[in-house]
Amino acid sequence: MIKHNYLIKQYEKTGKLRINHNYLREQFSDFRKIFEDLEKLIQDGDYTLGKPVNEFEKNFSKMINVKYAIGVNSGTDALTLSLKALDVGYGNEVITTPNTFIATVGAIVDSGAKPIFVDVREDYNINPDLIEEKITEMTRAIIPVHLTGRPADLGSIIKIADKHNLYVIEDAAQAIGAKYKGQKVGSFGITGCFSLHPLKNLNVIGDAGVITTNDHRIYDKLLKLRNHGLRDRDVCDCFGYNSRMDAIHAAIANLKLKYIDKWNKRHREIASFYIENLKESVPVERDYEEPVYHRFIIRHSIRNELQEYLLKEGIETKVHYPIPIHLQPAAKYLGYKKGDFPIAEEQANTILSIPLYPQLTIEQLDFIVNKIRNFVYK
Ligand SMILES: *Cc1c(COP(=O)(O)O)cnc(C)c1O
């Protein structure tokens, strides 16, 4: 019935089924082969770049259906290096949303450019209708974030970007495998930025990221930028970063990549189960999208009480994210105030991420749904 030992132990101890929001421990239980691969890697001495990274990049580009993939240190670096490769920096503006993970905005600020926020729609993604009014002479790029694993409205965004001669950099950190009109996200923009952080759908045991692109010139630039700007061992073409993907993570990611379609399918099945059984306040899929539900978000007017109730019942939930970035202390200098992005702000007060990962059993899912319904219809 309930597969995972420690859950059963918790249950016996407390009488309550403890369901974590994440699955850090379970995710490696089926992967003993990793140790064989690592043993070989250690013997080969191929620790920086080399074969494991090349192989992973080849397989990843195939999976997203793009010409090139570049393994880097993190999803954050994927964004930072993309901006750098496109010469976006001081004096430029970059448009994104205020309800993303901090890193999207951190990368923009790090480049020297100014982040310009645009409010979102009910799918938590950028509202294309509000983009054009924010475009100025200084705007160079739009970074749509495929938040929760749901594709942003790429068709509308790319139309606007083309009209104004702007780059689109996709923040696909939460959306590996998600499709917009049948095509994988990360293949639409000049670059696609992915994270392999332990909490993402495809993950390693530390930090890693990937950039995808179809542009040969950008690919060449990124290969250099991640490795100190070196053309070869001795000649530096441009000053860059040490942002190589570690071989150890490449080996792990390469092995896990074989399962990502299966896991994403399971994510979608669980989401369907939630949507079917929770009815109100669940995501309504748009006809262009096939999400991978990195997070499954429900909404409730007394969110904090619902969260507390669920925790008491043994169900851990999270809020992604409680403070929109324009209201963060770090963003004070940008001059935004409460009320500037009403949809994102309202969502921040009502959203709740409930557990969703392939290892959840039907018993656990039933339990979660019943407890939420108990609270909602009490
Ligand atoms: C996780 C995440 C990032 C950053 O990725 P890291 O690998 O943690 O650096 C960027 N953007 C979004 C939307 C993310 O969820």
Side-chain angles (χ1 to χ4, degrees), residues 316-339:
E316 184 188 34
T317 59
K318 301 267 177 189
V319 177
H320 301 95
Y321 301 91
I323 307 171
I325 298 181
H326 68 288
L327 301 176
Q328 291 285 355
K332 217 169 186 162
Y333 77 102
L334 293 169
Y336 289 109
K337 58 182 188 315
K338 223 175 170 166

mmCIF file of all heavy atoms in Angstrom, residues 316-339:
data_model
loop_
_atom_site.group_PDB
_atom_site.id
_atom_site.type_symbol
_atom_site.label_atom_id
_atom_site.label_comp_id
_atom_site.label_asym_id
_atom_site.label_seq_id
_atom_site.Cartn_x
_atom_site.Cartn_y
_atom_site.Cartn_z
ATOM 1 N N GLU A 316 2.212 18.463 4.229
ATOM 2 C CA GLU A 316 3.039 19.654 4.114
ATOM 3 C C GLU A 316 2.761 20.362 2.785
ATOM 4 O O GLU A 316 2.706 19.723 1.736
ATOM 5 C CB GLU A 316 4.523 19.263 4.179
ATOM 6 C CG GLU A 316 5.453 20.440 4.155
ATOM 7 C CD GLU A 316 6.923 20.042 4.032
ATOM 8 O OE1 GLU A 316 7.225 19.033 3.355
ATOM 9 O OE2 GLU A 316 7.759 20.735 4.624
ATOM 10 N N THR A 317 2.580 21.672 2.857
ATOM 11 C CA THR A 317 2.367 22.473 1.637
ATOM 12 C C THR A 317 3.318 23.662 1.675
ATOM 13 O O THR A 317 3.947 23.921 2.695
ATOM 14 C CB THR A 317 0.918 22.994 1.562
ATOM 15 O OG1 THR A 317 0.673 23.791 2.722
ATOM 16 C CG2 THR A 317 -0.086 21.855 1.501
ATOM 17 N N LYS A 318 3.427 24.355 0.543
ATOM 18 C CA LYS A 318 4.313 25.526 0.485
ATOM 19 C C LYS A 318 3.613 26.650 -0.277
ATOM 20 O O LYS A 318 2.601 26.427 -0.939
ATOM 21 C CB LYS A 318 5.602 25.180 -0.265
ATOM 22 C CG LYS A 318 6.396 24.046 0.329
ATOM 23 C CD LYS A 318 7.454 24.543 1.284
ATOM 24 C CE LYS A 318 8.151 23.339 1.899
ATOM 25 N NZ LYS A 318 9.040 23.606 2.962
ATOM 26 N N VAL A 319 4.208 27.840 -0.201
ATOM 27 C CA VAL A 319 3.682 28.961 -0.979
ATOM 28 C C VAL A 319 4.776 29.441 -1.934
ATOM 29 O O VAL A 319 5.855 29.829 -1.513
ATOM 30 C CB VAL A 319 3.228 30.127 -0.074
ATOM 31 C CG1 VAL A 319 2.759 31.301 -0.928
ATOM 32 C CG2 VAL A 319 2.117 29.667 0.860
ATOM 33 N N HIS A 320 4.488 29.372 -3.216
ATOM 34 C CA HIS A 320 5.428 29.815 -4.258
ATOM 35 C C HIS A 320 4.783 30.930 -5.068
ATOM 36 O O HIS A 320 4.055 30.656 -5.985
ATOM 37 C CB HIS A 320 5.791 28.676 -5.202
ATOM 38 C CG HIS A 320 6.426 27.510 -4.524
ATOM 39 N ND1 HIS A 320 5.717 26.414 -4.119
ATOM 40 C CD2 HIS A 320 7.714 27.299 -4.162
ATOM 41 C CE1 HIS A 320 6.555 25.543 -3.564
ATOM 42 N NE2 HIS A 320 7.755 26.064 -3.566
ATOM 43 N N TYR A 321 5.014 32.196 -4.718
ATOM 44 C CA TYR A 321 5.895 32.687 -3.668
ATOM 45 C C TYR A 321 5.110 33.701 -2.853
ATOM 46 O O TYR A 321 4.288 34.410 -3.427
ATOM 47 C CB TYR A 321 7.138 33.333 -4.296
ATOM 48 C CG TYR A 321 7.893 32.319 -5.167
ATOM 49 C CD1 TYR A 321 7.601 32.209 -6.519
ATOM 50 C CD2 TYR A 321 8.827 31.449 -4.610
ATOM 51 C CE1 TYR A 321 8.261 31.262 -7.306
ATOM 52 C CE2 TYR A 321 9.488 30.511 -5.401
ATOM 53 C CZ TYR A 321 9.190 30.417 -6.747
ATOM 54 O OH TYR A 321 9.806 29.477 -7.517
ATOM 55 N N PRO A 322 5.353 33.825 -1.558
ATOM 56 C CA PRO A 322 4.513 34.682 -0.715
ATOM 57 C C PRO A 322 4.747 36.180 -0.906
ATOM 58 O O PRO A 322 3.835 36.962 -0.669
ATOM 59 C CB PRO A 322 4.880 34.256 0.702
ATOM 60 C CG PRO A 322 6.213 33.594 0.597
ATOM 61 C CD PRO A 322 6.321 33.037 -0.790
ATOM 62 N N ILE A 323 5.980 36.576 -1.319
ATOM 63 C CA ILE A 323 6.254 38.004 -1.504
ATOM 64 C C ILE A 323 6.642 38.268 -2.952
ATOM 65 O O ILE A 323 7.706 37.823 -3.402
ATOM 66 C CB ILE A 323 7.398 38.484 -0.577
ATOM 67 C CG1 ILE A 323 7.106 38.114 0.867
ATOM 68 C CG2 ILE A 323 7.625 39.994 -0.730
ATOM 69 C CD1 ILE A 323 8.276 38.358 1.820
ATOM 70 N N PRO A 324 5.796 38.982 -3.706
ATOM 71 C CA PRO A 324 6.168 39.306 -5.085
ATOM 72 C C PRO A 324 7.478 40.106 -5.087
ATOM 73 O O PRO A 324 7.752 40.850 -4.134
ATOM 74 C CB PRO A 324 5.011 40.162 -5.586
ATOM 75 C CG PRO A 324 3.890 39.920 -4.642
ATOM 76 C CD PRO A 324 4.503 39.550 -3.331
ATOM 77 N N ILE A 325 8.254 39.957 -6.143
ATOM 78 C CA ILE A 325 9.614 40.515 -6.121
ATOM 79 C C ILE A 325 9.626 42.035 -6.049
ATOM 80 O O ILE A 325 10.509 42.619 -5.421
ATOM 81 C CB ILE A 325 10.411 39.990 -7.325
ATOM 82 C CG1 ILE A 325 10.498 38.466 -7.181
ATOM 83 C CG2 ILE A 325 11.820 40.607 -7.371
ATOM 84 C CD1 ILE A 325 11.258 37.762 -8.234
ATOM 85 N N HIS A 326 8.633 42.699 -6.643
ATOM 86 C CA HIS A 326 8.636 44.171 -6.590
ATOM 87 C C HIS A 326 8.430 44.679 -5.163
ATOM 88 O O HIS A 326 8.681 45.847 -4.889
ATOM 89 C CB HIS A 326 7.585 44.751 -7.543
ATOM 90 C CG HIS A 326 6.162 44.472 -7.139
ATOM 91 N ND1 HIS A 326 5.583 43.226 -7.237
ATOM 92 C CD2 HIS A 326 5.211 45.282 -6.630
ATOM 93 C CE1 HIS A 326 4.338 43.290 -6.811
ATOM 94 N NE2 HIS A 326 4.071 44.527 -6.433
ATOM 95 N N LEU A 327 7.984 43.800 -4.246
ATOM 96 C CA LEU A 327 7.796 44.215 -2.851
ATOM 97 C C LEU A 327 8.901 43.687 -1.936
ATOM 98 O O LEU A 327 8.836 43.829 -0.715
ATOM 99 C CB LEU A 327 6.421 43.747 -2.346
ATOM 100 C CG LEU A 327 5.217 44.291 -3.150
ATOM 101 C CD1 LEU A 327 3.910 43.703 -2.629
ATOM 102 C CD2 LEU A 327 5.171 45.811 -3.129
ATOM 103 N N GLN A 328 9.923 43.073 -2.499
ATOM 104 C CA GLN A 328 11.065 42.587 -1.716
ATOM 105 C C GLN A 328 11.947 43.766 -1.298
ATOM 106 O O GLN A 328 12.083 44.726 -2.051
ATOM 107 C CB GLN A 328 11.918 41.619 -2.553
ATOM 108 C CG GLN A 328 11.256 40.289 -2.849
ATOM 109 C CD GLN A 328 11.230 39.341 -1.660
ATOM 110 O OE1 GLN A 328 11.803 39.634 -0.596
ATOM 111 N NE2 GLN A 328 10.546 38.219 -1.834
ATOM 112 N N PRO A 329 12.558 43.660 -0.111
ATOM 113 C CA PRO A 329 13.480 44.730 0.313
ATOM 114 C C PRO A 329 14.538 45.039 -0.756
ATOM 115 O O PRO A 329 14.863 46.206 -0.991
ATOM 116 C CB PRO A 329 14.137 44.147 1.570
ATOM 117 C CG PRO A 329 13.207 43.107 2.059
ATOM 118 C CD PRO A 329 12.437 42.596 0.890
ATOM 119 N N ALA A 330 15.051 44.000 -1.410
ATOM 120 C CA ALA A 330 16.114 44.186 -2.408
ATOM 121 C C ALA A 330 15.651 45.031 -3.590
ATOM 122 O O ALA A 330 16.464 45.628 -4.292
ATOM 123 C CB ALA A 330 16.597 42.829 -2.916
ATOM 124 N N ALA A 331 14.328 45.073 -3.830
ATOM 125 C CA ALA A 331 13.815 45.756 -5.028
ATOM 126 C C ALA A 331 13.384 47.191 -4.737
ATOM 127 O O ALA A 331 12.855 47.878 -5.616
ATOM 128 C CB ALA A 331 12.635 44.969 -5.604
ATOM 129 N N LYS A 332 13.616 47.640 -3.513
ATOM 130 C CA LYS A 332 13.167 48.966 -3.100
ATOM 131 C C LYS A 332 13.610 50.056 -4.084
ATOM 132 O O LYS A 332 12.839 50.947 -4.438
ATOM 133 C CB LYS A 332 13.706 49.272 -1.704
ATOM 134 C CG LYS A 332 12.703 50.040 -0.873
ATOM 135 C CD LYS A 332 13.110 50.124 0.569
ATOM 136 C CE LYS A 332 11.966 50.793 1.323
ATOM 137 N NZ LYS A 332 12.054 50.552 2.728
ATOM 138 N N TYR A 333 14.874 49.946 -4.524
ATOM 139 C CA TYR A 333 15.445 50.992 -5.386
ATOM 140 C C TYR A 333 14.733 51.105 -6.728
ATOM 141 O O TYR A 333 14.912 52.088 -7.439
ATOM 142 C CB TYR A 333 16.949 50.739 -5.600
ATOM 143 C CG TYR A 333 17.264 49.639 -6.583
ATOM 144 C CD1 TYR A 333 17.653 49.941 -7.886
ATOM 145 C CD2 TYR A 333 17.155 48.296 -6.224
ATOM 146 C CE1 TYR A 333 17.941 48.937 -8.805
ATOM 147 C CE2 TYR A 333 17.431 47.288 -7.130
ATOM 148 C CZ TYR A 333 17.828 47.618 -8.417
ATOM 149 O OH TYR A 333 18.085 46.619 -9.315
ATOM 150 N N LEU A 334 13.941 50.098 -7.074
ATOM 151 C CA LEU A 334 13.223 50.152 -8.350
ATOM 152 C C LEU A 334 11.973 51.030 -8.266
ATOM 153 O O LEU A 334 11.385 51.396 -9.281
ATOM 154 C CB LEU A 334 12.846 48.738 -8.799
ATOM 155 C CG LEU A 334 14.032 47.831 -9.165
ATOM 156 C CD1 LEU A 334 13.575 46.387 -9.334
ATOM 157 C CD2 LEU A 334 14.723 48.319 -10.439
ATOM 158 N N GLY A 335 11.556 51.333 -7.020
ATOM 159 C CA GLY A 335 10.481 52.306 -6.829
ATOM 160 C C GLY A 335 9.066 51.780 -7.004
ATOM 161 O O GLY A 335 8.130 52.556 -7.151
ATOM 162 N N TYR A 336 8.898 50.480 -6.991
ATOM 163 C CA TYR A 336 7.530 49.952 -7.100
ATOM 164 C C TYR A 336 6.821 50.023 -5.753
ATOM 165 O O TYR A 336 7.464 50.118 -4.708
ATOM 166 C CB TYR A 336 7.565 48.501 -7.571
ATOM 167 C CG TYR A 336 7.964 48.328 -9.017
ATOM 168 C CD1 TYR A 336 9.189 47.799 -9.371
ATOM 169 C CD2 TYR A 336 7.077 48.686 -10.040
ATOM 170 C CE1 TYR A 336 9.550 47.628 -10.703
ATOM 171 C CE2 TYR A 336 7.424 48.523 -11.370
ATOM 172 C CZ TYR A 336 8.659 47.986 -11.692
ATOM 173 O OH TYR A 336 8.996 47.817 -13.004
ATOM 174 N N LYS A 337 5.494 49.945 -5.784
ATOM 175 C CA LYS A 337 4.744 49.937 -4.528
ATOM 176 C C LYS A 337 3.600 48.926 -4.592
ATOM 177 O O LYS A 337 3.270 48.407 -5.672
ATOM 178 C CB LYS A 337 4.202 51.330 -4.233
ATOM 179 C CG LYS A 337 3.310 51.864 -5.324
ATOM 180 C CD LYS A 337 2.824 53.259 -5.040
ATOM 181 C CE LYS A 337 1.787 53.697 -6.060
ATOM 182 N NZ LYS A 337 2.101 53.404 -7.463
ATOM 183 N N LYS A 338 3.033 48.670 -3.410
ATOM 184 C CA LYS A 338 1.889 47.767 -3.308
ATOM 185 C C LYS A 338 0.781 48.266 -4.228
ATOM 186 O O LYS A 338 0.510 49.461 -4.269
ATOM 187 C CB LYS A 338 1.394 47.735 -1.864
ATOM 188 C CG LYS A 338 1.075 46.361 -1.403
ATOM 189 C CD LYS A 338 0.705 46.322 0.059
ATOM 190 C CE LYS A 338 0.182 44.925 0.324
ATOM 191 N NZ LYS A 338 0.065 44.599 1.688
ATOM 192 N N GLY A 339 0.147 47.378 -4.951
ATOM 193 C CA GLY A 339 -0.933 47.773 -5.840
ATOM 194 C C GLY A 339 -0.486 47.887 -7.282
ATOM 195 O O GLY A 339 -1.324 47.996 -8.185
#
